[in-house]
Amino acid sequence: MTRPVIELTGVTKTYGAGETAVHALAGVDLVVEPGDYVAIMGVSGSGKSTLMNIVGCLDVGTSGQYLLDGIDVRRVAESRLAVVRNRKLGFVFQSFNLVARTSALRNVELPLAYAGVSRGERRERAAAALTRVGLADRLEHEPAELSGGQQQRVALARAIVTRPSLLLADEPTGALDSHSTAEVLAQFDELAVEGRTVLVITHEHDVARHAKRVVRMADGMIVADERQAPLDAPPPLLSARAVPA
Ligand code: ADP
Ligand code: MG
């Protein structure tokens, strides 16, 4: 049996205390196996970002257990956590979070620099990641010289250049027009086809439609968890009729 990438058991998160306490997560159980492509949906305030922050080791739950690739992250020292994040996780945010006045190539090299990869290999891998997202001709461009869709593709290249166990994206298309959204979603689809594990937070049905599995949250709880047919599969009735008699 393969080990899950994510295993959350009874995870809660409470902000504040007493009368004003906010129960952002009210007991979440979630298992994600390698190669799954999961969309987390839910209205604003349902706890999606809180969940992503915990899964991404940017925050810890108030109670419950989280295993990332089998590692109990609560037992990992703060100093080691940055290493775990760097090795195992790739992040994509709504607001791109690129380093300003720094070339696309340098931006994508950064996580490799933290990982201690040599300069030559860093450049080679960063250029390959940018080529993969269709930006081979934009290596020396700075974020301000790129469109929103291109900036998000740089962010995606930065997220995958370390070959993480898990790609996490919080509303990755929230700031993009429909054309750029389609470009970024095509990249996620390709990663999923390659068997990467992808967790995308979104409130857009069109985005969630690309995932293999949709998890719905409400009031800090998972209220639905369903597999869906691949996007390019023909409707069942049509395919039934296409079978020769
Ligand atoms: P979503 O991403 O689904 O919009 P969030 O996870 O951001 O939801 O928030 C869940 C709940 O927790 C909301 O009620 C929000 O106001 C609250 N919350 C989130 N972050 C904090 C914080 N740092 N301090 C206090 N309350 C917070
Ligand atoms: Mg959010």
Side-chain angles (χ1 to χ4, degrees):
M1 227 189 78
T2 58
R3 185 174 61 197
V5 177
I6 297 172
E7 196 168 359
L8 296 165
T9 312
V11 171
T12 72
K13 179 71 184 184
T14 304
Y15 292 110
E19 294 282 292
T20 57
V22 175
H23 301 286
L25 293 182
V28 168
D29 298 324
L30 179 69
V31 176
V32 176
E33 302 290 344
D36 212 351
Y37 181 5
V38 184
I40 307 272
M41 295 200 77
V43 297
S44 179
S46 56
K48 305 184 297 296
S49 293
T50 302
L51 182 67
M52 154 125 170
N53 290 342
I54 291 172
V55 168
C57 303
L58 300 166
D59 200 357
V60 288
T62 306
S63 64
Q65 189 187 53
Y66 171 35
L67 303 181
L68 168 63
D69 258 352
I71 298 168
D72 185 345
V73 296
R74 287 178 77 99
R75 292 176 192 277
V76 177
E78 186 64 38
S79 56
R80 276 283 304 170
L81 214 48
V83 177
V84 170
R85 268 201 300 270
N86 180 270
R87 297 259 169 86
K88 299 203 172 284
L89 302 167
F91 291 95
V92 176
F93 299 96
Q94 177 170 353
S95 51
F96 320 138
N97 292 14
L98 298 176
V99 181
R101 290 181 295 282
T102 302
S103 71
L105 193 64
R106 286 288 302 153
N107 265 282
V108 177
E109 278 184 47
L110 274 178
L112 296 176
Y114 291 132
V117 176
S118 72
R119 190 151 190 280
E121 187 186 337
R122 228 151 66 199
R123 302 213 119 220
E124 208 169 288
R125 282 170 63 180
L130 284 162
T131 300
R132 166 184 184 139
V133 299
L135 294 175
D137 56 350
R138 295 287 190 281
L139 301 186
E140 295 305 329
H141 284 58
E142 297 179 2
E145 299 164 345
L146 297 168
S147 72
Q150 289 170 337
Q151 288 184 61
Q152 194 61 305
R153 283 187 280 148
V154 174
L156 187 57
R158 181 183 57 184
I160 62 175
V161 76
T162 54
R163 305 184 192 111
S165 312
L166 177 63
L167 178 64
L168 287 170
D170 193 351
E171 302 281 1
T173 61
L176 302 180
D177 60 33
S178 58
H179 176 73
S180 301
T181 292
E183 282 179 354
V184 167
L185 289 176
Q187 294 294 331
F188 280 108
D189 290 353
E190 258 187 56
L191 292 167
V193 166
E194 280 177 14
R196 308 264 195 143
T197 313
V198 182
L199 192 78
V200 178
I201 290 179
T202 184
H203 61 268
E204 295 173 72
H205 288 278
D206 293 350
V207 174
R209 189 64 196 89
H210 286 250
K212 295 179 189 166
R213 173 181 173 195
V214 180
V215 171
R216 283 173 214 283
M217 294 190 69
D219 300 325
M221 282 180 286
I222 290 176
V223 293
D225 185 345
E226 287 164 353
R227 298 243 151 234
Q228 58 183 1
L231 195 54
D232 54 4
L237 258 180
L238 265 178
S239 59
R241 235 183 277 140
V243 175

